Amino acid sequence: MMKFRFRRQGADPQREKLKQELFAFHKTVEHGFPNQPSALAFDPELRIMAIGTRSGAVRIYGAPGVEFTGLHHNAATVAQMHFLPGQGRLLTLLDDNSLHLWEIVPHNGCAHLEEMLSFQLPSRPVFDGASTLPSLSRVTVVLLVADGNRAALGTEGGSVFFLNMDTLTLLEGQTLAPDEVLRSLPDDYRCGKALGPVESLQGHLQDPSKILIGYSRGLLVIWSQTAHCVERVFLGNQQLESLCWERSGSTVVSSHSDGSYAIWPADSGSSLVLQPTAATMPYGPFPCKAINKILWRNCESGGHFIIFSGGMPRASYGDRHCVSVLQAETLVTLDFTSRVIDFFTVHSTLLEDEFDDPQALAVLLEEELVVLDLQTPGWPAVPAPYLAPLHSSAITCSAHVANVPAKLWARLVSSGEQQSPQPTSSTSSWPITGGQNLAQEPSQRGLLLTGHEDGTVRFWDASGVALRPLYKLSTAALFQTDCEHADSLAQAAEDDWPPFRKVGCFDPYSDDPRLGVQKVALCKYTARMVVAGTAGQVLVLELSDVPAEQAVSVASMDLLQDREGFTWKGHDQLSPSTGPLPWPAGFQPQVLVQCLPPAAITAVTLHTEWGLVAFGTSHGFGVFDYQRKSPVLARCTLHPNDSLAMEGPLSRVKSLKKSLRQSFRRIRKSRVSGKKRAVNASSKLQEANAQLAEQAYPHDVEVTPVQRRIEPRSADDSLSGVVRCLYFADTFLRDAVHHGPTLWAGTNSGSVFAYALEVPAAATGSEKRPEQAVEAVLGKEVQLMHRAPVVAVTVLDGRGRPLPEPYEASRDLAQAPDMQGGHAVLIASEEQFKVFTLPKVSAKTKFKLTAHEGCRVRKVALATFASVACEDYAETCLACLTNLGDVHVFSVPGLRPQVHYSCIRKEDISGIASCVFTRHGQGFYLISPSEFERFSLSARNITEPLCSLDIRWPRDTTCDSYRLQESPKLSQANGTPGIILAPRSCDGSPSPARSKGAGDTLEPSEATLSPISMDSATSADTTLDTTGDVTMEDEGPDRRTLSPPVPPQALQRNPRRICGMWRKMRPTPAPF
């Protein structure tokens, strides 16, 4: 049927200006541990650390809040990284044999990372008669010469080339070929096998003109650059892996492929050394794996450090990932749960110092970063203020809590400190302290909660750039699991060999998958929370400052209500431990509610003012009174044909009959829709008429797009009874005069159930209600026409604003809701948003997202957007994430589209499913198993690095001509085209968007907001992002297209500070 296209007036310019002051899209910072790290570097002078990844990303970290990020053009694996000490410059070698020079560029007090030069080294021999350079094969190792202007490149062919660091070009006439080395060797050694690739290059700290060269065959050579000759030769015959030059230069240590290391004298009178002074196989005598890297550090107190990776007995512990630390007679084998990438020590590098005196050991692993304090007995681990492994156990859910009270924050920090107390003798703090964080202290605190597969809930400080761990809650101790929580290595006897010591917190193995946390909810005013799991367990916990030993009350609720014909085929419920249990300080369980059947919890909500918790599964929902420890309501939502809901998430049994039925329905629908399309023979003529009509319309008039036809879903679709959302509200349900507590539940089949709750009122001056039973009566039941799953339900007061959280109004922490005018309920389904009046439940307004945009809703949240231009103006809007990865913002309650942005790739299903919005217009989503991408929809509340670095070295302005002409930022970290910052800087004056600090700023009170009605503002259906940034779209390997520049007026309305970082961009890893 032909739908009419109504004309309407275009957008109001004043409203468009206001939207630019309220909304702006930024991808700001990545929280967590870099995915798939491949290289590590450390600058001992500036105290900054760099990590390269297999996707070509470069991350530089200093003090907490100091971060710089870049991305190589070709997204190849970063093989090696080397800092030019004290210069803020970084040389990277990729696995495609290319070199890149990065520089931290200061400007107007801030700094950012920029790729300055690049050089592609030919990986195959080049036959060019005009070239005087020998053929250059693949680079195996890089050494920055101490003078800072040159770099030595060791290759697979055995040659050593020298590179000019100012221009990143090869120096002719200084190449060391293998033939020159062979001339200095004895005849019997020369006639053997080839020298092989250059495995290691080491510089002399006292004499920069000397270079120690190690070849794969085992030969070690000291090369003098000034005399251009070989000074000393060490004839080794075991395959070489790594080299280290002792600080004074009198000793050389080499590690080998058989698990041994050798000590060579470098100050002997002879130029030819035939045998090492000592050769040791630490974990012999049986065959051992190679020692990949070795370090020698001397100490003023005596007893040097020898630190090496690998070398474990091949047969017994060949699968272990270890770093061994040896000092005098003390040997500790650090046992990690992931592969060792690289490590370094933080020690003195001043020429006037005689000893290294290492302070800390930093080990980069495939899944985490571990730092050990080497100055404290026992070498304890140093807690990391950032780079924490979010995926120490797989993340299963997440939630954000804004404006956390200071008292609750202090109690959480105290509980976390009691979990991991530091030794009293420890004097070492985090050793990577370079740079200065210029961001202001956030005016409020934000918590990010992550639920994990092992039954833990982790609390993170998400107030600023650095995501800092605060506290960890474990629920596994409450249950009798299949596996015992004991580590055999921790219980090993002291005389066991090797002396393993388990280090790190990454543990990807779960004792029982039923422990997995599915939903969390926290009340920040009463310090109570709910943790719901995979096996139908619902835990109500309360924060305590002291340890306690107590029993936990257990109750069960049957959601099927003795309905016949349903048999649970999934996993069993967890068995709770009996008797009093010891609980440390922190959140301690009070009540355990077990849902029957034990299906995974799909929705949960908590109302501490009423003492109620509601939870839902694929079978129904229930309400529990945790104050009286008694059930209130149980409602089954199963359809008679919904058999799949009884199989459980861990069951692989499928109904063949139901699958065939659904397949035939899809085929029949496609045939019917095909016939309908064939009948419409005049479609081309209609399209031509429509185009002529559009040309006849004035340019300032918009045309409503044709809506898509949405087919209603079948009533007996599988999993139609899944409860998607639950919501408590004090509103008008029975009549327009009396309001009271209500519960709203939305299901997968488009049904909304509204229950009136009879909650005894608390006495005056008391927050605890009387010990009387709570009753629930069904008040309304709404069935959406197309049966689309209900994603969220929210009640709006008489002013069109969402109701405050429990205790917010009673404690004067928020403006009391308007209980005089008519309330409304906003129901968000996967296809549309709809506002109904209360208590009549009549449709007031709606927006059909699927019909207009062709997408489905995945996540929704109400957020407050503060204006950049006016301190006292803010709007409450509806933020929505679709299955295409787009973010839409709508006005409330008018449901008028405001802006929409492309945020996540539509192929990134895990990222879309993990997205969580904050109350102040920001959001988080997983771009890898270990990283959250943070983004902002608000023009005012932006959390991004603003930092500087104190670089003291003479900058040569003549090198600017060699800089790259393009920014290396082509796409966001997960491959999504986004905001791209050109290498320009801010004007020096902080913009209003940054003036409030680094976190979600405290919003103006509702009483100070402008009374302008949001319904009166006119806007277009689709508004493009006009944030004043230059974007770049990839059109091929060598072509870039720049979008037209934004008028200066737009920049003045929405100023931007381009300081502190490049936007992070890299291809998304495989879905996890």
Side-chain angles (χ1 to χ4, degrees):
M1 180 179 177
M2 182 66 179
K3 290 184 178 291
F4 292 100
R5 300 159 64 96
F6 297 97
R7 291 185 295 173
R8 61 182 180 184
Q9 294 298 322
D12 182 10
Q14 185 176 1
R15 178 60 187 176
E16 293 299 317
K17 178 182 178 180
L18 181 59
K19 286 195 293 185
Q20 292 183 6
E21 297 171 352
L22 292 173
F23 312 109
F25 180 72
H26 311 276
K27 286 189 177 180
T28 55
V29 66
E30 292 175 3
H31 296 301
F33 185 76
N35 187 51
Q36 297 179 331
S38 58
L40 177 68
F42 178 68
D43 189 335
E45 296 187 19
L46 296 179
R47 290 293 184 108
I48 55 177
M49 175 185 65
I51 296 178
T53 69
R54 294 173 62 181
S55 59
V58 177
R59 308 278 188 82
I60 297 180
Y61 301 93
V66 177
E67 295 185 14
F68 306 94
T69 306
L71 179 72
H72 293 89
H73 279 281
N74 45 4
T77 299
V78 180
Q80 295 182 38
M81 310 176 73
H82 301 273
F83 273 110
L84 280 71
Q87 300 183 17
R89 295 196 293 172
L90 178 70
L91 182 66
T92 59
L93 171 67
L94 306 186
D95 64 351
D96 63 354
N97 217 33
S98 63
L99 290 168
H100 303 260
L101 183 62
W102 298 79
E103 183 175 338
I104 299 175
V105 181
H107 191 80
N108 289 343
C110 298
H112 66 267
L113 182 63
E114 182 177 349
E115 184 179 357
M116 311 300 289
L117 301 170
S118 66
F119 178 58
Q120 180 66 49
L121 300 167
S123 58
R124 296 181 179 179
V126 178
F127 300 97
D128 187 359
S131 176
T132 60
L133 289 173
S135 61
L136 180 64
S137 58
R138 180 172 294 274
V139 177
T140 56
V141 62
V142 178
L143 169 67
L144 294 177
V145 183
D147 57 16
N149 294 326
R150 291 180 303 155
L153 310 178
T155 64
E156 285 184 346
S159 300
V160 179
F161 296 84
F162 290 89
L163 194 71
N164 187 337
M165 292 301 299
D166 292 333
T167 60
L168 218 60
T169 55
L170 293 176
L171 297 175
E172 299 187 11
Q174 299 189 25
T175 302
L176 174 60
D179 295 341
E180 298 185 51
V181 178
L182 289 173
R183 297 191 192 102
S184 305
L185 303 181
D187 294 339
D188 55 346
Y189 196 92
R190 188 190 313 166
C191 296
K193 58 182 180 180
L195 298 181
V198 178
E199 291 291 342
S200 181
L201 293 173
Q202 295 293 324
H204 196 294
L205 183 61
Q206 307 296 334
D207 188 357
S209 64
K210 295 180 180 181
I211 296 179
L212 177 63
I213 306 173
Y215 295 90
S216 177
R217 178 179 174 181
L219 175 69
L220 311 182
V221 171
I222 296 181
W223 174 262
S224 174
Q225 300 181 71
T226 56
H228 203 73
C229 66
V230 175
E231 281 195 357
R232 187 167 279 105
V233 175
F234 307 89
L235 298 181
N237 291 302
Q238 185 60 44
Q239 181 177 341
L240 182 69
E241 293 290 334
S242 175
L243 283 177
C244 182
W245 212 334
E246 189 261 341
R247 185 183 185 90
S248 65
S250 61
T251 304
V252 172
V253 183
S254 62
S255 66
H256 303 276
S257 61
D258 62 346
S260 66
Y261 67 86
I263 301 175
W264 304 80
D267 56 355
S268 61
S270 174
S271 62
L272 181 63
V273 181
L274 301 178
Q275 296 292 335
T277 57
T280 306
M281 185 178 291
Y283 299 106
F286 297 106
C288 296
K289 301 193 72 174
I291 295 180
N292 302 312
K293 181 177 179 178
I294 191 167
L295 296 178
W296 176 299
R297 300 288 183 258
N298 56 16
C299 302
E300 186 176 6
S301 59
H304 54 264
F305 279 93
I306 296 180
I307 307 172
F308 58 90
S309 61
M312 302 307 299
R314 189 176 297 273
S316 304
Y317 304 105
D319 58 342
R320 296 289 183 92
H321 311 289
C322 299
V323 172
S324 302
V325 182
L326 173 64
Q327 185 186 29
E329 300 299 326
T330 304
L331 173 64
V332 174
T333 307
L334 305 175
D335 185 19
F336 303 100
T337 54
S338 58
R339 184 170 60 92
V340 177
I341 303 298
D342 201 354
F343 59 92
F344 64 84
T345 59
V346 180
H347 61 278
S348 174
T349 57
L350 299 177
L351 294 177
E352 57 268 21
D353 291 342
E354 184 180 354
F355 300 96
D356 295 312
D357 288 331
Q359 305 170 12
L361 169 66
V363 184
L364 176 65
L365 308 166
E366 198 170 31
E367 305 294 350
E368 60 182 326
L369 177 74
V370 176
V371 177
L372 300 180
D373 179 8
L374 296 182
Q375 294 185 335
T376 302
W379 304 329
V382 180
Y386 49 83
L387 287 178
L390 303 176
H391 63 316
S392 53
S393 177
I395 297 177
T396 52
C397 67
S398 58
H400 185 270
V401 182
N403 299 331
V404 179
K407 183 178 180 180
L408 174 60
W409 190 270
R411 296 177 67 186
L412 287 174
V413 172
S414 175
S415 300
E417 292 175 348
Q418 295 182 47
Q419 287 183 334
S420 56
Q422 293 299 305
T424 56
S425 59
S426 178
T427 59
S428 176
S429 58
W430 185 249
I432 305 167
T433 58
Q436 181 182 3
N437 183 13
L438 302 180
Q440 297 181 9
E441 189 70 18
S443 58
Q444 60 89 27
R445 299 292 183 179
L447 273 179
L448 181 64
L449 311 181
T450 56
H452 298 264
E453 191 180 28
D454 60 353
T456 60
V457 179
R458 286 172 167 82
F459 293 67
W460 307 89
D461 178 6
S463 308
V465 173
L467 192 67
R468 183 169 62 96
L470 294 179
Y471 167 73
K472 182 179 76 170
L473 164 67
S474 178
T475 62
L478 184 59
F479 303 99
Q480 301 174 4
T481 57
D482 297 336
C483 302
E484 295 295 329
H485 295 271
D487 189 7
S488 60
L489 296 179
Q491 299 177 356
E494 293 183 358
D495 57 349
D496 281 358
W497 186 261
F500 286 116
R501 172 185 162 190
K502 189 174 179 60
V503 183
C505 60
F506 177 73
D507 185 11
Y509 307 106
S510 175
D511 292 332
D512 195 326
R514 297 175 296 175
L515 291 171
V517 177
Q518 296 296 321
K519 298 291 179 181
V520 292
L522 171 66
C523 177
K524 57 188 177 184
Y525 301 113
T526 59
R528 279 192 175 90
M529 73 176 302
V530 175
V531 178
T534 305
Q537 69 271 24
V538 180
L539 272 173
V540 181
L541 306 100
E542 186 175 4
L543 185 61
S544 176
D545 298 328
V546 295
E549 184 173 351
Q550 60 186 15
V552 179
S553 301
V554 181
S556 60
M557 292 187 65
D558 185 10
L559 299 182
L560 291 181
Q561 296 294 294
D562 300 327
R563 182 173 296 192
E564 298 180 356
F566 291 96
T567 304
W568 174 248
K569 304 175 184 178
H571 50 264
D572 295 331
Q573 67 184 59
L574 287 166
S575 300
S577 301
T578 58
L581 298 174
W583 301 103
F587 279 97
Q588 300 173 355
Q590 305 295 320
V591 181
L592 168 63
V593 183
Q594 179 62 56
C595 297
L596 298 176
I601 302 298
T602 57
V604 72
T605 186
L606 174 68
H607 202 292
T608 53
E609 201 166 356
W610 301 337
L612 301 177
V613 57
F615 43 84
T617 69
S618 56
H619 309 121
F621 59 91
V623 179
F624 190 82
D625 183 354
Y626 63 82
Q627 182 174 320
R628 297 184 67 252
K629 299 178 181 179
S630 61
V632 176
L633 167 68
R635 170 68 185 261
C636 181
T637 57
L638 282 178
H639 190 273
N641 296 331
D642 197 357
S643 60
L644 288 181
M646 304 307 296
E647 295 174 2
L650 303 183
S651 173
R652 297 188 177 182
V653 180
K654 290 186 178 181
S655 172
L656 178 60
K657 180 179 179 181
K658 194 169 189 65
S659 299
L660 290 175
R661 185 188 304 120
Q662 292 178 349
S663 300
F664 281 118
R665 283 177 178 170
R666 283 194 295 267
I667 294 173
R668 184 166 59 251
K669 287 182 179 180
S670 63
R671 288 178 177 175
V672 172
S673 60
K675 291 180 180 179
K676 290 182 178 179
R677 287 194 298 267
V679 170
N680 190 6
S682 60
S683 59
K684 293 185 179 180
L685 180 60
Q686 294 176 358
E687 291 177 2
N689 292 335
Q691 292 178 0
L692 292 175
E694 291 177 0
Q695 294 176 3
Y697 291 152
H699 294 286
D700 58 345
V701 175
E702 290 195 2
V703 180
T704 304
V706 177
Q707 297 184 11
R708 294 168 177 82
R709 180 180 178 85
I710 306 301
E711 295 290 339
R713 308 188 185 194
S714 175
D716 59 348
D717 280 347
S718 61
L719 302 178
S720 61
V722 175
V723 178
R724 296 288 296 271
C725 61
L726 292 165
Y727 178 69
F728 283 118
D730 184 1
T731 186
F732 302 90
L733 187 61
R734 296 177 177 176
D735 54 57
V737 178
H738 304 91
H739 63 86
T742 61
L743 170 70
W744 299 75
T747 70
N748 225 28
S749 60
S751 299
V752 178
F753 303 95
Y755 279 82
L757 304 176
E758 296 291 341
V759 181
T764 304
S766 174
E767 292 184 350
K768 190 173 182 180
R769 61 178 176 81
E771 294 290 334
Q772 298 178 9
V774 179
E775 298 181 357
V777 179
L778 180 62
K780 305 288 182 181
E781 184 173 345
V782 180
Q783 178 63 59
L784 301 182
M785 181 183 302
H786 292 160
R787 298 184 177 273
V790 179
V791 180
V793 177
T794 302
V795 173
L796 307 176
D797 67 1
R799 292 186 293 265
R801 295 169 180 167
L803 300 181
E805 296 182 10
Y807 286 112
E808 273 191 336
S810 60
R811 296 183 180 182
D812 296 330
L813 300 172
Q815 185 179 11
D818 182 6
M819 307 302 288
Q820 302 298 326
H823 282 199
V825 58
L826 169 62
I827 299 179
S829 71
E830 285 191 358
E831 295 179 357
Q832 66 178 348
F833 309 115
K834 204 164 188 178
V835 176
F836 296 89
T837 61
L838 290 178
K840 293 184 177 181
V841 193
S842 58
K844 181 179 180 181
T845 182
K846 63 182 176 181
F847 183 85
K848 299 180 179 180
L849 184 67
T850 302
H852 287 290
E853 305 293 340
C855 54
R856 295 187 183 276
V857 178
R858 288 292 178 259
K859 302 283 183 175
V860 294
L862 288 173
T864 302
F865 294 88
S867 172
V868 173
C870 181
E871 291 284 341
D872 298 332
Y873 183 78
E875 291 185 7
T876 299
C877 298
L878 179 70
C880 157
L881 176 68
T882 70
N883 63 328
L884 302 181
D886 298 333
V887 177
H888 298 252
V889 179
F890 299 88
S891 64
V892 174
L895 297 182
R896 286 188 169 89
Q898 302 300 302
V899 290
H900 80 271
Y901 310 100
S902 177
C903 182
I904 312 175
R905 294 186 308 113
K906 62 180 180 181
E907 297 84 5
D908 189 4
I909 300 176
S910 300
I912 295 174
S914 63
C915 181
V916 56
F917 291 102
T918 73
R919 291 183 59 182
H920 301 310
Q922 296 194 27
F924 303 83
Y925 68 93
L926 287 172
I927 56 174
S928 73
S930 61
E931 291 174 290
F932 272 109
E933 175 78 63
R934 187 172 192 150
F935 64 91
S936 175
L937 303 174
S938 172
R940 180 170 168 181
N941 296 318
I942 303 174
T943 303
E944 66 178 2
L946 295 175
C947 47
S948 65
L949 196 63
D950 187 12
I951 302 174
R952 298 185 180 93
W953 70 284
R955 293 174 50 87
D956 187 3
T957 57
T958 60
C959 298
D960 293 342
S961 59
Y962 294 96
R963 294 187 180 184
L964 294 182
Q965 299 301 317
E966 292 183 278
S967 168
K969 314 306 285 182
L970 299 181
S971 61
Q972 289 296 342
N974 64 339
T976 305
I979 298 176
I980 295 158
L981 297 182
R984 50 191 171 89
S985 184
C986 55
D987 56 0
S989 60
S991 65
R994 273 46 166 197
S995 60
K996 291 299 179 182
D1000 283 338
T1001 60
L1002 191 64
E1003 296 300 324
S1005 62
E1006 295 289 348
T1008 61
L1009 298 182
S1010 172
I1012 298 177
S1013 173
M1014 287 174 284
D1015 288 342
S1016 61
T1018 60
S1019 63
D1021 289 337
T1022 303
T1023 305
L1024 298 179
D1025 180 13
T1026 56
T1027 56
D1029 297 317
V1030 179
T1031 61
M1032 298 173 64
E1033 298 179 357
D1034 219 345
E1035 292 189 350
D1038 298 318
R1039 291 184 298 172
R1040 303 290 184 268
T1041 301
L1042 297 180
S1043 64
V1046 181
Q1049 295 81 0
L1051 294 177
Q1052 293 173 4
R1053 288 193 300 265
N1054 187 19
R1056 300 276 315 277
R1057 294 189 68 182
I1058 311 165
C1059 303
M1061 63 174 290
W1062 288 97
R1063 303 290 186 218
K1064 283 88 45 201
M1065 293 137 261
R1066 69 171 186 275
T1068 299
F1072 55 96

